[in-house]
Amino acid sequence: MNYDAIVVGGGHAGCESTYSLANMGLKTLLITGSIDKIAMMPCNPHIGGSAKGIVVREIDALGGIMGKVADKTLLQMKMLNFSKGPAVRSLRAQGDKVAYPKEMQRVLKSHENITILEGMVEDLIIKDNKIEGVKLSTGKEIISKAVILTTGTYMKADILVGDTRTSSGPAGTKPSLFLSDNLKKLGFKILRLKTGTPPRVKRDTIDFSKTKEEPGDDKLYTFSFDNKPFYKVEDQMSCYLTYTTEETHKIIRDNLNKSSMYGGIKEKLGTGPRYCPSIEDKIVRFKDKERHQLFLEPESVYFDDIYIQGFSTSMPHDVQEKMVHSLPGLEKAEILRYAYAIEYDAIDPKDLYPTLETKIIENLYTAGQINGTSGYEEAACQGLMAGINAGLKILKKEPLILKRDEAYIGVLIDDLITKGVRDPYRLLTSRAEYRLLLRSDNADLRLREYGYKVGLIDEEKYKKLLIKKENINKIIEELKNIKIDGIYAYNYLKRTEVNINDIVDKLSNKYDQLELEQAEIMIKYEGYIKKSIKEAEKMRKLENKKIPDNIDYDKIPNLASEARVKLKEVRPLSFGQAIRISGVNPSDISILSVYMKRYFNEFR
Amino acid sequence: MNDTICAISTALGVGAISIIRVSGDNAIKIVNEIFDKDLTKVNSHTINYGHIIYENTIVDEVMVSVMKAPKTYTKEDIIEINSHGGISTTNKVLELLLLKGARLAEPGEFTKRAFLNGRLDLIEAESVMDLINSKTDYSRKLALNGIEGNISKLIHEIINKLLDINSNIEVNIDYPEYEDIEVITKDKIKEVSNFINKKLEVLLKESENGKLIKEGINTIILGRPNVGKSSILNSLIDEDKAIVTSIAGTTRDIVEGNIRINGILLNIIDTAGIRKTDDIVEKIGVEKSLSLIDKSDLIILVFNNNEPLNQEDKELLEKTKDKKRIIVVNKCDLPNELELNIKDENILMISALDNVELLKNEIINKFNLEDINNKDFTYLSNSRQIALIKKALQLSKKLEKDLNDNIYIDMLEIDIKEICEILNEVIGESYDDKLIDKIFSNFCLGK
């Protein structure tokens, strides 16, 4: 069989790749270890969160699928950071771990351009450094123009619990045993990373009266710009807050050497995520803290699991029992599934172009945890971008590369390919320099146009966007001409205590609430927004200063040796990218700049 | 960039010896070609006796220091030739070096290389330039202070404070559900912005002094014609630079002189007397005198004891009332006709011919020159740095105002970040990754 594209792996990255390729009209094959596990959520049960919620909206603006499926299957919705400013507001949904994958599987299975195959990809078919297809463990070969690897944590995955190491994917799935060795043979640098997941306990064995209830918001939201809410405020399921106790800490300290990470396993382990430490890490690193917050989160309406957020560990099962029972409300809790750490192979994302195509093999793309990231949303947005760019290349069109001032997705990919990863990468608002421009509320205004151009947003949705843009401009123009208390409404609205709904009756037309809010944000924060735009323009200038791809860093004298090594490794495409490489200092950039001037004077 | 540069590093023709410095990849090779011993075989950081030879003739008997990269000023190989001080010998050695392939260094190029090679940060590099160009002992002390990184240290401290706030705000945003991570209240930001305002204000104030030390006090002598301005200047500088006559309007252009008081340079400008005039040359002089008022650090305003106060005198008093000024009543040996109605200001009664010490003491008092003399210096010593710090201070004050106006914490962070960027520009360092590293080292988070 021949396909336009093959996607290897059916996680959140793989789903977006498959969906976008198919919607671009390309015959796409999704190969997965198990069809039932497509879009599984093996770790936390939520989608979105700070920064990540904005990514989900960006995915939706571009024509991806995650937000639409999440909207249909959520158990609870919250707008985070509401009081901290419009730029940092972000949606988080408690997802349903049964309903979400099921809905995603339905969408993919019903698409005419998608074929799904159960199997294990063991090797790649390559000719002249160009991908031609994949080879399955059965020996079967499948030909395609492009391949996207979205293998998640499956490459050489090991589950770690106490002193045991078991070769297995997450939640007892089959690992991929040979692919990473074959990638290594092709010249990819292989990283060993690690992450973990907390225990799940049975809902009706928890005494919730000893915990604090955390309900969803009483305002309705959707991730997708095209959806109306599918849920009712009162139907949302609650989360619950509890804390570790002195006894928990004592149990952990007394048993520390039994944890895989603290001596349970003797050989050197992969690097775990800094922002997502195990409970052992927290007790060791923050000795003075009397207690740590833990959230009890429902996983599905279809089963009884409660996820203990903040309690990831690699302790042996008997210690986990004691730990769980030391928590208020969980004294008699029954553990349904034990916590574990998982170690897996990833590639060095510095081996990627901004399109997520590998520098080593043409038409081979990688997305998601294989690139050293962590999180469903991070994976999904890479899957989408890899899908879009593989599709554009097959269709012989210009690639889509999002800039740091256009999308969190742009920030994420640029960070990956420029800085590489030491530990699994999580998107944070603090990673975005121009985050006032990258708001949850304007993701459609920023990105829909691109989605339309690449063929993932249809005419009807695009027209809606144009109308929305026009209406926002109309509101702003109207406010510039109406006077309130002797001053123009435009300036009146800049006062912190004034809300656009206070003056909406002065407008001659009726407008949608979202359009009004958008105009309000643009007016109220105009000064700060302008400042951010100015900063972004500085960056763009450096971005436009291209570095020739044949530059020989060994010929540039006086570069600090660390900078030389880093520049050779990353081979930045522009000064903007070069200055973001850690270990490349401003003085190195000056030297590079001087050299480039000479280079161009001499060779032009 | 990798060419080898050379220059005479000592003042030409003054000392008993001159030092010729050579820096670059070929420094050793080039000097070796004109030296009678093999410098490629000597250890680094040694001084070697020998001769500079050209066409089998001894040019000079010299000591040659060999310092191999990277532990040198420029982080490149450096050779320093100590030759005998005469102009012709020193120039001959330099010529030979140029002949053998070295290039004459541009002014400050050794320091530029030190900076580009990561040996100095921007403040340090600029301070070195200041050191090279310094005219007095005090400016040298000031320049050296920069090299020790005192300012860098202060600015780093401020940046760290700001990074602390920002990482705290970021954690609150990125982990909104973690109630036990301290929620930054606006009061706490205010506390830090107060701290920064205070630090920067002190730094700026001291920098103004720094500027005085480096560039001197620009002093103008103002007064109506023939009140004795030029005589005062001449007494101060002990030379007849200005032509002194008794005909009003003798000084038509602006005369300059320099003196040192307690080691501080005083740039004194004698001005054309201020009067309404139809003489075109004199008129230009008068306008120029008035325009100098704004640019001066000190005004010596001179009146004639022997004449009553007139309209022009009153205008001068009005125009200079916000400036640092010393009011001098001259010609006290003549009968008193002047009535100055001035409160809260010290009036110096002198006769230019003998009471000039009084004036010098008053200048010392006005600028706390005694203090400057004794104090340790923490000054920004160039205008680029001062301008940036002023901008940072302005933003920090805006931050304070926005706090009172209940602006979102996320917006405040934009200003905080900008302050950090400006301060990093002052010390020539980039910002980015520190913040995220800080978040992870200071806070306890996780799933």
Side-chain angles (χ1 to χ4, degrees):
Chain A
M1 263 304 279
N2 285 12
Y3 293 92
D4 288 317
I6 296 172
V7 177
V8 182
H12 302 285
C15 289
E16 294 290 349
S17 293
T18 307
Y19 186 72
S20 54
L21 284 161
N23 277 349
M24 290 168 87
L26 300 167
K27 291 281 167 213
T28 308
L29 175 69
L30 171 60
I31 304 175
T32 170
S34 159
I35 291 176
D36 293 343
K37 301 268 163 59
I38 286 174
M40 178 174 78
M41 298 161 79
C43 195
N44 65 68
H46 49 252
I47 286 179
S50 193
K52 292 158 170 264
I54 302 178
V55 169
V56 180
R57 301 207 104 200
E58 290 178 351
I59 291 171
D60 190 72
L62 288 165
I65 183 72
M66 177 175 247
K68 291 190 168 61
V69 174
D71 279 341
K72 276 192 181 172
T73 57
L74 56 86
L75 303 173
Q76 186 205 79
M77 189 68 134
K78 269 188 167 182
M79 178 65 90
L80 304 175
N81 291 327
F82 192 83
S83 63
K84 289 175 190 135
V88 293
R89 284 174 199 155
S90 198
L91 287 169
R92 188 186 61 199
Q94 294 298 134
D96 189 305
K97 286 194 175 182
V98 175
Y100 184 93
K102 223 171 155 185
E103 171 63 12
M104 185 68 84
Q105 288 160 25
R106 187 193 65 75
V107 171
L108 299 183
K109 280 178 188 167
S110 60
H111 203 294
E112 55 176 5
N113 289 336
I114 298 174
T115 309
I116 304 176
L117 175 74
E118 268 188 11
M120 216 24 109
V121 170
E122 215 156 73
D123 206 354
L124 304 172
I125 307 166
I126 287 153
K127 203 176 164 191
D128 301 331
N129 288 328
K130 211 169 168 177
I131 196 96
E132 296 207 327
V134 299
K135 199 174 183 178
L136 301 184
S137 55
T138 57
K140 186 178 171 186
E141 294 190 348
I142 310 172
I143 302 304
S144 74
K145 293 171 191 155
V147 171
I148 303 178
L149 297 178
T150 59
T151 55
T153 60
Y154 283 74
M155 289 199 303
K156 284 203 178 170
D158 281 339
I159 299 283
L160 313 171
V161 177
D163 59 0
T164 64
R165 174 191 280 276
T166 319
S167 172
S168 164
T173 51
K174 281 177 287 181
S176 157
L177 296 174
F178 306 102
L179 189 55
S180 62
D181 285 343
N182 287 324
L183 288 171
K184 197 172 179 177
K185 276 184 214 150
L186 290 170
F188 285 93
K189 193 178 156 197
I190 301 295
L191 312 172
R192 191 80 176 151
L193 299 174
K194 184 199 81 183
T195 186
T197 195
R200 318 297 203 270
V201 293
K202 199 170 178 188
R203 170 182 280 274
D204 50 19
T205 63
I206 299 172
D207 178 0
F208 287 105
S209 69
K210 293 183 178 171
T211 65
K212 185 176 162 262
E213 187 173 357
E214 302 263 320
D217 282 0
D218 45 20
K219 196 180 163 192
L220 294 171
Y221 296 100
T222 61
F223 282 117
S224 173
F225 293 95
D226 312 313
N227 281 347
K228 292 273 176 260
F230 289 91
Y231 66 102
K232 289 186 189 140
V233 167
E234 61 274 19
D235 291 347
Q236 295 180 86
M237 284 174 92
S238 288
C239 297
Y240 298 86
L241 172 63
T242 188
Y243 296 91
T244 57
T245 60
E246 184 39 47
E247 202 202 332
T248 322
H249 294 203
K250 188 175 182 303
I251 296 166
I252 291 169
R253 280 196 299 270
D254 289 351
N255 292 285
L256 199 57
N257 60 359
K258 292 183 188 160
S259 158
S260 311
M261 301 303 129
Y262 285 88
I265 288 183
K266 300 298 173 207
E267 68 269 23
K268 192 172 172 290
L269 291 166
T271 315
R274 281 182 293 174
Y275 49 82
C276 214
S278 63
I279 190 73
E280 296 91 289
D281 279 338
K282 287 192 249 184
I283 305 288
V284 170
R285 279 172 52 197
F286 303 95
K287 286 193 180 72
D288 301 334
K289 262 186 93 97
E290 283 170 17
R291 58 178 198 176
H292 296 271
Q293 273 183 310
L294 302 173
F295 291 91
L296 306 176
E297 302 184 3
E299 295 210 310
S300 172
V301 290
Y302 301 102
F303 55 72
D304 263 353
D305 288 31
I306 294 288
Y307 176 96
I308 313 177
Q309 149 124 338
F311 213 55
S312 116
T313 179
S314 56
M315 286 286 191
H317 292 177
D318 59 322
V319 181
Q320 286 190 35
E321 292 278 352
K322 285 185 204 157
M323 284 161 58
V324 167
H325 294 151
S326 71
L327 304 173
L330 283 83
E331 294 85 351
K332 293 181 182 146
E334 183 188 327
I335 298 182
L336 293 174
R337 276 177 294 146
Y338 289 95
Y340 58 82
I342 183 164
E343 220 188 16
Y344 55 97
D345 280 357
I347 64 154
D348 182 346
K350 293 203 291 287
D351 286 335
L352 300 174
Y353 290 115
T355 54
L356 298 180
E357 184 179 3
T358 67
K359 290 176 183 170
I360 295 164
I361 305 296
E362 199 183 339
N363 294 344
L364 176 66
Y365 297 75
T366 57
Q369 276 169 307
I370 187 174
N371 291 344
T373 60
S374 147
Y376 309 145
E377 306 79 1
E378 285 88 341
C381 74
Q382 291 174 66
L384 174 66
M385 295 314 292
I388 288 173
N389 281 313
L392 289 171
K393 191 158 183 198
I394 294 169
L395 298 169
K396 299 192 165 44
K397 290 185 184 168
E398 284 294 302
L400 176 62
I401 296 163
L402 299 173
K403 293 273 192 300
R404 296 182 76 90
D405 60 343
E406 288 181 314
Y408 271 92
I409 300 173
V411 173
L412 179 140
I413 292 174
D414 182 64
D415 277 352
L416 286 181
I417 63 164
T418 304
K419 300 182 177 187
V421 295
R422 280 181 293 169
D423 56 329
Y425 178 101
R426 176 186 163 165
L427 203 52
L428 301 161
T429 55
S430 47
R431 300 193 195 270
E433 304 88 334
Y434 320 107
R435 67 172 180 242
L436 189 52
L437 309 178
L438 310 182
R439 302 188 306 273
S440 179
D441 61 73
N442 71 355
D444 55 341
L445 303 175
R446 290 185 271 129
L447 301 171
R448 272 250 138 137
E449 182 105 35
Y450 289 130
Y452 174 69
K453 277 190 188 148
V454 300
L456 296 183
I457 295 293
D458 61 28
E459 274 312 322
E460 189 195 331
K461 284 174 191 153
Y462 182 59
K463 262 185 202 143
K464 266 191 193 164
L465 172 80
L466 294 180
I467 292 169
K468 182 176 176 183
K469 279 187 175 172
E470 200 186 314
N471 283 343
I472 294 165
N473 287 334
K474 272 189 199 160
I475 298 169
I476 293 174
E477 280 314 305
E478 273 204 55
L479 291 173
K480 278 181 178 168
N481 291 307
I482 305 170
K483 277 194 172 180
I484 295 171
D485 295 349
I487 66 165
Y488 284 109
Y490 187 87
N491 293 325
Y492 185 74
L493 189 56
K494 284 183 188 275
R495 297 181 182 173
T496 35
E497 71 278 8
V498 178
N499 184 299
I500 194 154
N501 288 319
D502 303 340
I503 56 173
V504 74
D505 51 347
K506 309 264 181 194
L507 296 171
S508 57
N509 292 307
K510 273 248 171 253
Y511 294 100
D512 182 81
Q513 189 59 28
L514 290 176
E515 291 163 359
L516 289 168
E517 281 170 17
Q518 190 56 231
E520 178 176 24
I521 289 168
M522 288 165 80
I523 293 168
K524 240 188 180 96
Y525 310 108
E526 192 189 9
Y528 291 98
I529 291 172
K530 274 191 179 154
K531 212 176 234 189
S532 293
I533 290 174
K534 218 172 115 193
E535 280 299 307
E537 274 165 3
K538 263 197 237 166
M539 176 269 300
R540 289 258 179 156
K541 228 179 238 171
L542 284 171
E543 219 62 39
N544 291 335
K545 221 172 147 189
K546 300 286 177 219
I547 300 173
D549 54 6
N550 59 349
I551 196 165
D552 183 354
Y553 290 105
D554 284 328
K555 285 205 174 127
I556 305 177
N558 297 331
L559 275 179
S561 48
E562 189 193 357
R564 195 187 306 273
V565 170
K566 290 283 173 66
L567 286 166
K568 280 163 78 173
E569 196 178 52
V570 179
R571 301 204 63 81
L573 305 174
S574 69
F575 272 68
Q577 197 189 347
I579 209 161
R580 288 192 294 272
I581 301 171
S582 43
V584 176
N585 293 316
S587 55
D588 300 313
I589 299 292
S590 337
I591 288 166
L592 184 62
S593 169
V594 169
Y595 177 81
M596 286 266 299
K597 265 185 203 139
R598 277 176 47 183
Y599 179 92
F600 279 116
N601 287 344
E602 284 170 23
F603 297 99
R604 210 184 254 167
Chain B
M1 288 295 292
N2 63 344
D3 51 358
T4 296
I5 53 172
C6 64
I8 299 167
S9 297
T10 44
L12 203 55
V14 181
I17 58 163
S18 292
I19 297 174
I20 300 135
R21 184 187 260 176
V22 192
S23 175
D25 290 352
N26 290 327
I28 296 173
K29 186 177 154 273
I30 288 171
V31 178
N32 216 30
E33 287 180 36
I34 58 168
F35 193 61
D36 61 356
K37 284 180 189 155
D38 190 357
L39 291 172
T40 59
K41 298 217 167 88
V42 307
N43 289 331
S44 184
H45 294 78
T46 55
I47 190 157
N48 306 277
Y49 169 80
H51 301 89
I52 299 291
I53 306 279
Y54 181 61
E55 290 181 342
N56 298 321
T57 317
I58 292 177
V59 177
D60 195 9
E61 184 183 18
V62 295
M63 300 291 284
V64 173
S65 307
V66 178
M67 290 158 280
K68 290 180 188 163
K71 284 186 178 171
T72 71
Y73 183 65
T74 55
K75 285 195 153 184
E76 300 171 338
D77 286 345
I78 286 186
I79 301 277
E80 285 179 0
I81 302 168
N82 297 16
S83 74
H84 289 92
I87 296 174
S88 61
T89 317
T90 312
N91 271 341
K92 184 77 195 166
V93 176
L94 188 70
E95 256 171 51
L96 289 178
L97 290 170
L98 297 175
L99 195 69
K100 295 294 174 189
R103 169 171 72 71
L104 194 61
E106 289 157 19
E109 197 175 358
F110 290 99
T111 301
K112 187 172 150 202
R113 287 190 175 196
F115 169 64
L116 289 178
N117 293 341
R119 167 81 159 67
L120 306 162
D121 71 20
L122 200 52
I123 277 204
E124 290 172 334
E126 284 176 346
S127 295
V128 173
M129 294 306 294
D130 288 341
L131 181 65
I132 292 164
N133 297 327
S134 63
K135 289 179 198 149
T136 67
D137 285 350
Y138 293 100
S139 20
R140 213 156 289 142
K141 192 168 170 188
L142 181 56
L144 280 168
N145 196 263
I147 292 170
E148 285 158 14
N150 257 353
I151 298 160
S152 312
K153 211 170 123 193
L154 179 72
I155 288 174
H156 277 129
E157 188 193 341
I158 294 174
I159 290 172
N160 281 337
K161 289 252 177 203
L162 291 169
L163 281 177
D164 266 339
I165 300 189
N166 269 4
S167 59
N168 228 326
I169 295 176
E170 301 284 359
V171 168
N172 282 292
I173 291 167
D174 276 323
Y175 299 88
E177 69 273 34
Y178 282 80
E179 55 165 34
D180 54 347
I181 296 165
E182 185 188 6
V183 172
I184 276 286
T185 61
K186 297 194 170 181
D187 284 346
K188 194 171 170 197
I189 299 180
K190 193 173 272 178
E191 202 177 286
V192 179
S193 83
N194 279 340
F195 168 85
I196 290 160
N197 285 349
K198 217 158 67 191
K199 283 272 178 192
L200 292 188
E201 263 165 8
V202 169
L203 181 64
L204 272 178
K205 203 171 154 235
E206 299 203 334
S207 301
E208 291 297 317
N209 286 341
K211 186 177 153 276
L212 294 183
I213 290 170
K214 198 162 71 79
E215 290 168 13
I217 301 169
N218 290 326
T219 309
I220 61 173
I221 307 180
L222 273 181
R224 276 198 292 127
N226 206 24
V227 294
K229 299 182 295 295
S230 300
S231 312
I232 291 175
L233 171 69
N234 287 346
S235 315
L236 279 171
I237 64 177
D238 292 321
E239 62 181 345
D240 280 359
K241 200 163 185 179
I243 307 151
V244 187
T245 70
S246 58
I247 307 158
T250 307
T251 306
R252 293 190 178 187
D253 53 354
I254 287 161
V255 177
E256 299 187 35
N258 294 319
I259 59 162
R260 276 187 186 77
I261 299 180
N262 281 18
I264 305 292
L265 201 64
L266 216 61
N267 308 313
I268 309 177
I269 299 162
D270 181 20
T271 61
I274 306 296
R275 65 167 183 181
K276 295 211 159 59
T277 177
D278 294 329
D279 181 322
I280 290 174
V281 178
E282 197 185 336
K283 205 171 179 179
I284 292 168
V286 171
E287 277 162 17
K288 203 165 174 191
S289 301
L290 291 173
S291 74
L292 280 170
I293 293 177
D294 286 340
K295 292 175 194 155
S296 64
D297 303 312
L298 173 68
I299 291 160
I300 299 174
L301 191 51
V302 189
F303 297 96
N304 186 348
N305 184 50
N306 192 224
E307 282 174 13
L309 204 67
N310 71 5
Q311 191 53 39
E312 282 148 15
D313 287 328
K314 284 177 191 161
E315 275 173 23
L316 281 178
L317 279 167
E318 179 60 27
K319 282 204 169 87
T320 56
K321 71 175 187 307
D322 297 326
K323 300 288 296 186
K324 211 167 238 189
R325 68 181 181 188
I326 298 173
I327 292 172
V328 175
V329 175
N330 196 13
K331 306 190 182 176
C332 289
D333 46 333
L334 297 177
N336 174 270
E337 296 287 339
L338 184 75
E339 245 183 84
L340 272 178
N341 194 13
I342 290 171
K343 289 170 197 146
D344 312 321
E345 249 178 289
N346 201 10
I347 295 168
L348 287 186
M349 309 293 285
I350 65 166
S351 157
L353 301 176
D354 52 73
N355 293 101
V356 107
E357 279 308 308
L358 273 178
L359 184 56
K360 280 192 181 177
N361 286 337
E362 185 66 18
I363 295 170
I364 289 170
N365 287 338
K366 277 271 181 222
F367 287 93
N368 293 322
L369 294 185
E370 299 281 0
D371 283 358
I372 291 178
N373 198 0
N374 296 327
K375 244 173 115 174
D376 280 337
F377 302 121
T378 314
Y379 306 145
L380 294 166
S381 55
N382 75 38
S383 46
R384 181 191 75 92
Q385 296 164 354
I386 291 175
L388 285 169
I389 293 290
K390 277 188 178 154
K391 208 166 136 197
L393 180 62
Q394 209 181 346
L395 271 171
S396 171
K397 290 195 166 154
K398 175 177 181 291
L399 187 64
E400 226 170 0
K401 186 185 163 289
D402 286 351
L403 272 170
N404 294 330
D405 292 348
N406 278 322
I407 301 285
Y408 285 122
I409 224 157
D410 181 46
M411 309 276 172
L412 301 180
E413 209 198 339
I414 292 176
D415 286 332
I416 295 175
K417 275 187 178 159
E418 195 179 348
I419 298 172
C420 283
E421 264 157 37
I422 291 168
L423 293 179
N424 273 308
E425 210 178 309
V426 173
I427 52 176
E429 277 181 23
S430 77
Y431 175 49
D432 60 8
D433 271 6
K434 286 182 195 165
L435 185 64
I436 285 167
D437 286 339
K438 220 172 163 107
I439 290 177
F440 295 125
S441 58
N442 288 355
F443 298 97
C444 160
L445 318 152
K447 69 178 176 187

